[in-house]
Amino acid sequence: MTTKMMGERVPRVEDDRLVTGNGRYSDDLVPGALEMAVLRSPHAHAQIVSIDVEAVLDLHGVHAVYTYEDLTGALAEPLPLLIPHPTLTHGRTQYTLAKDEVNYVGEAIAVVVADNRYIAEDAVDRIEVEYKLLTPVVGIPAARAARDLVHADVPANKAATMHQSFGDADAAIDAAPHRLSLDFTIERSASMPLEGRGTVARWDEDLNRMSVWTSTQTSTGVRAAVASKLGLDLGQVDVVTPDVGGGFGVKIMHPWPEELLVPMAAKALRHPVKFIEDRREHFISAAHERGQEQHIEVGFDDEGRMQGLSVYFWHDNGAYTPYGLIVPIITSTQLLGPYKPPNYSVTFESLYTNTVIVTPYRGAGRPQGVYAMERTMDAIAAHLGKDRVAVREANFIQPEDFPYAQGDLLFQDGRPLIYDSGDYPELMNKAKALIDWEDFEAYREEARAAGRKVGIGIACYVEGTGVGPYEGGHVHVETTGKVKVSTGLTSQGQGHQTAFAQIVADELGVPFESVEVVTGDTRRSPYSVGTFASRAAVMSGSAIALAARNAREKALRIAAEALEADVDDLEIADGIVRVKGAPQSQIELGTLAVLSNPLRYAFDEASSAATQFAVGDPNKPPVDEDDEPGLEGKDYYSPMRCTFASGIHAVIVETDPETAEIKILRYAVVHDCGTLINPKIVEGQIHGGVAQGVGGALYERMAYDEYGQLQNASFMDFLMPYVTEVPDEIEVDHQETPSPLNPLGLKGAGEAGVIPTSAVFASAIEDAEGFPITAMPISPSELYALRLEHEHDKDVERPAK
C-alpha cells in the first residue's frame, strides 16, 4: 500500500537544490542581457523643473535612456490602483517614471539601459535634474496636522476614512461598570527579503511574443499588467517566476515600475534586458508597513468581559495607495481576534506621508490589530487586578458558537467576517501548559531573590487565511507514470513542491517521489491570483486535491474498461490500479496514460500500444464526446469566504536591571491551521515568523528624519536580529480544528509566527517592569528612558516627609 503522506513530517524536496547553490534566481537568467539602472529622487517632496540627459546619450555602452517624456499610451498613465474601495475617495498612484513631482526619496525618475550595470550606474549619475523643493510630510502626527499636503488635491492628507460597527459601542461603554482610554503606537518596518526585486525580459521578434522572468508573488498579475501597459494581447506575454529569495508580501505589489520598463526596453531594443535591485533601492523604493497610531475606548464588567469596544486609528499609507486599503481594513477587522465584544466600532483614517509606499508585509495589518487588542486585554486585567489569561478566557468565542459572525463586518475580501471553526479555550489550555503559566510566579520569586527581573507575556490572534477569489490545479499523468502538477501561484521557499506533492500522492494513490510540482508559470497555469494572505495551501492545495480526484476518477474509468471490471471494485496504490482481492489483475497508471491518448503514430514502445490498430472499439469514436485525450485532471477552488486560523504565543523575558537589555528566556506557540499537511513545514513557517517578529518587536524600524530621508537604509544600519537574538528553541504545539469550507479542512499557516509578537513582547516586558508599554518596537535605551520616567513619576507622587 502507498504510505499515507498527509500529516507526515516529509523532508522538503526543494532544500537540497537551494542550499547547495543550485537555485535559479532572476539574476542567474538570460546571460548577456543588457542591464538597467534607475535614477531615483534624492528628495522626499519636490517638483521636477527639468531633466537633462544630454551627457548620457554619447556614453559608450549606453543603449537607451528613458524619462517620462519617452513613455507612450498606457505607460504614460499612472500605475494601477490594484484594489479600489468605495471609501478610498482620494486614491493616488505614481507614474512609471515621475511626471512632474516626486513624493518620496527613491521614486523612479529615469532609467538607463547599458551593456552592464556599472556603465548604467555611471550614466545615471550624469543625468541632471532641476528640482523645486516642497515641504515634506513625515510621520503620522505631521500628516494629521496637515499643515503641508503630500498631494495638493488631497485635503488633510486623507486618502480614506472608513467606519464599520455593530451594536452601539459608545452607549455600551458609557453604561459599563469600568472604562479605560488607551493609546498605542507601532512603528514602520519592512520585510527585507534576501533577494530584492529583479526582472528579466526578452522580446521574440519572430514569434511576436514577450517572455518575462520576475521575482514576484503573482506571475499572472505581472503578466496582465505588462500586457495592458505595453498594448500586447495577454496571449503574447509569458511570465515565469524562477526561484525567489523571499517575498513576505512586498512582491505581491505589482507592477513595480521596473516590471514594465524592462520589457518595454527589451521590445524597443530587441535585446534582452534585466534589472536587479540593490539593497539600498529595496529600502527606499520597495514598500514598508506597520506604522499606525491607535486610540481605544473600552467598557467592561467586573469579570473583564468587554461590553463595548471603540477603536480609532490612523494608518500611514506612504506617498501612494497602489494596494488600496487592504492593510488598515485587516487591522480594523482582525483586531477582534478570538473575542466577542457585543458592541464594536472602528474608524480609521489612511494618511499620505512623503515616505515609501505601504503595502502588505507578512501579517498585513494583523500585528497592529493584535497589538491593540492584546494590550487592551492586559490593561483590563491590570485595572481589575485579575489574571491576564482569565480576562481573555472571559471574552473568548466558544466552540459551540461556530460559525461565528463578527456582527455584519466585512473582511478584506468584501465578504462577511464569519469565523469557520476553532476552539480557543482549548488553545489557551495548551498554551498555558506549554509555557508553564501557573508556575511562573514561583519562578519570578526565585529570579527576584537572585536580583533578576523576569516577565511573562501572552497574546492571542485569529488570522483570516485562504482569501479568494480562486486558484487552480492541474494534474497530468505521464506515460512513464510520473505525475506533473502545476498551479499558478508562486513559491518563495514555503515548501509548496513538498506539500502539494503530499496531497497528490494521497489523492491519486501514487508514490510521493513520482510527483513533480511547478508553480508560477503562466504557460502552464494562465489563470491564477498569487501567493499572499496565507492562502497557498488552502487555495492551491484544495484545487490540486480536486484536480487529482478528477484524474483518479478518469484513471479508474479507463482501468475498468481495460481490466473488464467494475469501477467500484478497483483501487489505486503505488501508481497501480488493482482489482480489490485480485492483485494479479492490475494495470499501471502510466499504461492508462497511454490508453487515454489514442494515437495514429507510434514513436516509441509505449505509444505503439495506443495506435489505431492496437486499441479501441471500432464502433465508438476514439475519444468520447464528453471526454478529452490524456490522463489528467484540472479544477479550480473558489471559496465563499476565508478560513480563520488561530493561535496563542507566550514568552518569558528577562530585562537587565542595569542596561535594560531584553533577553528571551522561553518562547512558546500553539497554533491551529486546521488539517496539517506537513507539521515540519508548518513549524518552519512558525519559526521563521517568530524570528521576523522578534525583529519587529525589539529591533527593526524605519528611521526617517524630518526631511523624509531614511537614515538606516542599509544592513549596516538597519538593526535586525541575528541567530544570537532569536530563541534557541521555539516550543510549538498544534491543534487541528478542520475548516468546513474546503475539501481538506485546511487553514493557512504562513504568517502566524509574526502576527502576535509585538503584543506578546509588550505584555512580557510590562510584566517584568511593572509599568505600561504603549509603543513598539522597544529598544533597551527606550526601556531605560521609561524606567527613568516612571521613577520620576513615583518621586513626584511620594508625599513629602
Side-chain angles (χ1 to χ4, degrees):
M1 288 292 292
T2 301
T3 302
K4 181 179 178 298
M5 302 302 293
M6 284 286 285
E8 296 300 316
R9 293 178 172 273
V10 179
R12 290 164 36 120
V13 298
E14 299 92 335
D15 288 351
D16 283 348
R17 184 173 61 83
L18 295 176
V19 302
T20 54
N22 290 306
R24 298 281 289 169
Y25 301 88
S26 294
D27 200 23
D28 299 318
L29 307 176
V30 193
L34 302 176
E35 298 195 55
M36 177 180 285
V38 185
L39 172 66
R40 302 187 183 279
S41 172
H43 304 295
H45 200 190
Q47 290 179 353
I48 297 174
V49 178
S50 64
I51 304 176
D52 185 354
V53 300
E54 190 66 26
V56 178
L57 298 180
D58 295 329
L59 195 64
H60 181 70
V62 169
H63 292 257
V65 55
Y66 300 100
T67 68
Y68 174 80
E69 297 300 325
D70 299 302
L71 307 181
T72 59
L75 265 176
E77 299 171 357
L79 292 171
L81 200 167
L82 291 170
I83 309 177
H85 191 278
T87 63
L88 184 54
T89 53
H90 294 80
R92 298 290 182 272
T93 59
Q94 69 187 79
Y95 289 89
T96 308
L97 292 171
K99 185 181 179 186
D100 302 314
E101 185 174 306
V102 287
N103 282 299
Y104 63 92
V105 172
E107 186 165 350
I109 296 175
V111 294
V112 173
V113 181
D115 284 343
N116 57 55
R117 183 66 176 257
Y118 303 102
I119 297 173
E121 294 278 6
D122 288 345
V124 160
D125 288 342
R126 297 188 180 203
I127 300 174
E128 295 185 4
V129 182
E130 182 182 355
Y131 300 95
K132 178 184 178 183
L133 300 186
L134 303 172
T135 304
V137 177
V138 182
I140 292 175
R144 290 176 61 185
R147 284 186 286 273
D148 299 289
L149 298 180
V150 175
H151 301 286
D153 59 346
V154 178
N157 292 315
K158 290 184 186 178
T161 301
M162 183 172 172
H163 174 80
Q164 291 200 79
S165 66
F166 56 81
D168 188 338
D170 291 341
I173 293 167
D174 288 340
H178 307 278
R179 174 175 183 158
L180 287 172
S181 295
L182 305 164
D183 291 286
F184 304 113
T185 62
I186 189 163
E187 290 195 33
R188 270 190 176 220
S189 190
S191 53
M192 295 299 151
L194 282 179
E195 183 204 25
R197 296 175 291 134
T199 301
V200 190
R202 178 170 58 205
W203 172 254
D204 191 318
E205 191 73 17
D206 295 330
L207 297 177
N208 203 28
R209 195 171 189 86
M210 180 70 73
S211 297
V212 180
W213 298 262
T214 188
S215 185
T216 184
Q217 293 174 230
T218 171
S219 53
T220 50
V222 173
R223 179 195 192 208
V226 169
S228 172
K229 289 294 188 180
L230 268 60
L232 299 171
D233 293 335
L234 203 58
Q236 288 180 274
V237 181
D238 299 320
V239 175
V240 179
T241 303
D243 288 324
V244 174
F248 310 115
V250 70
K251 294 174 184 174
I252 190 60
M253 171 56 206
H254 67 283
W256 292 103
E258 298 85 355
E259 287 178 322
L260 301 176
L261 293 166
V262 167
M264 178 199 76
K267 187 169 186 290
L269 299 172
R270 300 183 180 182
H271 195 286
V273 175
K274 76 175 175 182
F275 163 76
I276 303 297
E277 181 186 61
D278 66 29
R279 183 53 56 186
R280 176 171 169 76
E281 286 182 303
H282 192 78
F283 270 97
I284 66 170
S285 65
H288 301 166
E289 220 233 75
R290 303 287 197 254
Q292 286 183 5
E293 294 186 355
Q294 305 160 337
H295 177 74
I296 294 170
E297 299 281 337
V298 60
F300 48 95
D301 65 15
D302 293 342
E303 300 303 316
R305 284 187 290 263
M306 290 184 289
Q307 306 299 298
L309 178 67
S310 178
V311 178
Y312 202 110
F313 69 91
W314 296 265
H315 171 76
D316 177 357
N317 58 233
Y320 301 102
T321 53
Y323 214 78
L325 300 174
I326 291 301
V327 171
I329 289 174
I330 292 174
T331 299
S332 66
T333 50
Q334 296 278 261
L335 183 148
L336 292 169
Y339 311 117
K340 53 177 182 179
N343 301 282
Y344 177 58
S345 169
V346 61
T347 303
F348 68 78
E349 295 177 10
S350 192
L351 301 172
Y352 286 109
T353 59
N354 288 112
T355 55
V356 173
I357 62 169
V358 164
T359 64
Y361 158 36
R362 196 177 193 176
R366 296 175 186 87
Q368 301 96 308
V370 170
Y371 170 67
M373 187 75 253
E374 295 301 301
R375 291 281 66 213
T376 301
M377 284 290 155
D378 285 348
I380 293 172
H383 181 83
L384 296 174
K386 285 186 169 294
D387 183 277
R388 287 168 286 168
V389 164
V391 168
R392 287 169 168 82
E393 290 174 331
N395 286 282
F396 273 160
I397 297 164
Q398 298 300 308
E400 61 270 21
D401 293 335
F402 290 97
Y404 184 82
Q406 291 283 14
D408 53 1
L409 299 186
L410 295 181
F411 192 42
Q412 61 144 319
D413 55 356
R415 301 299 177 105
L417 186 66
I418 302 174
Y419 295 178
D420 51 339
S421 65
D423 187 344
Y424 308 141
E426 180 56 24
L427 209 60
M428 181 61 85
N429 290 336
K430 285 176 173 280
K432 288 168 63 179
L434 198 61
I435 199 68
D436 298 320
W437 181 268
E438 302 294 352
D439 299 331
F440 181 74
E441 285 309 316
Y443 175 74
R444 188 203 303 274
E445 288 306 314
E446 290 179 14
R448 184 176 290 142
R452 299 167 56 212
K453 275 186 172 183
V454 297
I456 189 170
I458 199 158
C460 310
Y461 64 94
V462 168
E463 179 195 3
T465 68
V467 65
Y470 72 90
E471 285 296 341
H474 182 224
V475 174
H476 176 216
V477 181
E478 299 268 6
T479 55
T480 59
K482 292 181 180 177
V483 182
K484 301 295 179 70
V485 180
S486 68
T487 188
L489 56 66
T490 64
S491 297
Q492 295 87 49
Q494 298 95 330
H496 292 162
Q497 281 76 13
T498 305
F500 294 157
Q502 288 181 253
I503 292 172
V504 172
D506 275 9
E507 294 288 346
L508 190 55
V510 297
F512 171 80
E513 296 76 14
S514 69
V515 183
E516 177 186 300
V517 178
V518 172
T519 61
D521 186 338
T522 63
R523 299 169 301 181
R524 299 281 297 273
S525 301
Y527 296 102
S528 176
V529 182
T531 303
F532 59 95
S534 302
R535 68 191 297 277
V538 177
M539 300 301 298
S540 280
S542 296
I544 287 169
L546 295 173
R549 291 175 188 180
N550 291 339
R552 177 188 178 90
E553 181 182 338
K554 184 168 186 177
L556 291 174
R557 176 161 49 81
I558 298 171
E561 292 182 14
L563 298 173
E564 297 181 343
D566 190 278
V567 167
D568 294 336
D569 293 333
L570 301 178
E571 61 183 5
I572 307 179
D574 293 326
I576 299 172
V577 184
R578 297 187 178 91
V579 178
K580 298 174 186 174
Q584 72 280 4
S585 183
Q586 63 180 34
I587 188 168
E588 294 184 357
L589 281 178
T591 305
L592 294 176
V594 172
L595 297 176
S596 71
N597 183 24
L599 298 170
R600 183 173 180 81
Y601 308 110
F603 42 84
D604 59 20
E605 185 175 347
S607 59
S608 66
T611 54
Q612 59 195 25
F613 296 107
V615 297
D617 184 341
N619 297 313
K620 293 181 180 179
V623 179
D624 286 341
E625 289 183 5
D626 58 350
D627 205 354
E628 296 177 350
L631 181 50
E632 57 187 17
K634 183 170 74 173
D635 214 328
Y636 290 87
Y637 172 65
S638 181
M640 283 295 293
R641 56 182 186 274
C642 292
T643 62
F644 286 86
S646 57
I648 298 175
H649 288 207
V651 65
I652 297 175
V653 302
E654 180 173 356
T655 58
D656 189 287
E658 298 295 330
T659 66
E661 183 183 2
I662 301 157
K663 182 179 180 182
I664 305 168
L665 301 180
R666 289 184 65 190
Y667 202 103
V669 177
V670 181
H671 183 244
D672 183 351
C673 60
T675 303
L676 286 165
I677 301 173
N678 186 328
K680 195 179 187 73
I681 288 179
V682 171
E683 289 163 13
Q685 289 280 7
I686 290 172
H687 289 185
V690 170
Q692 212 160 13
V694 169
L698 303 179
Y699 302 100
E700 298 169 357
R701 66 186 72 208
M702 293 297 163
Y704 277 101
D705 69 9
E706 61 190 293
Y707 305 106
Q709 299 287 343
L710 190 58
Q711 299 294 294
N712 58 343
S714 80
F715 280 168
M716 292 291 288
D717 303 300
F718 180 74
L719 194 60
M720 64 173 69
Y722 297 154
V723 68
T724 47
E725 281 75 48
V726 176
D728 291 337
E729 181 185 8
I730 298 170
E731 302 162 66
V732 179
D733 193 7
H734 299 283
Q735 176 173 285
E736 294 184 67
T737 56
S739 171
L741 300 180
N742 61 71
L744 299 177
L746 305 172
K747 301 175 184 178
E751 300 169 277
V754 77
I755 290 173
T757 45
S758 287
V760 77
F761 278 108
S763 178
I765 296 167
E766 180 174 297
D767 186 53
E769 296 289 331
F771 49 76
I773 302 297
T774 61
M776 294 296 278
I778 187 167
S779 67
S781 58
E782 289 166 328
L783 181 57
Y784 187 75
L786 283 175
R787 284 178 179 173
L788 295 180
E789 178 184 327
H790 286 278
E791 281 299 317
H792 173 73
D793 291 344
K794 287 180 183 176
D795 291 341
V796 171
E797 291 171 2
R798 286 192 188 105
K801 291 182 180 177

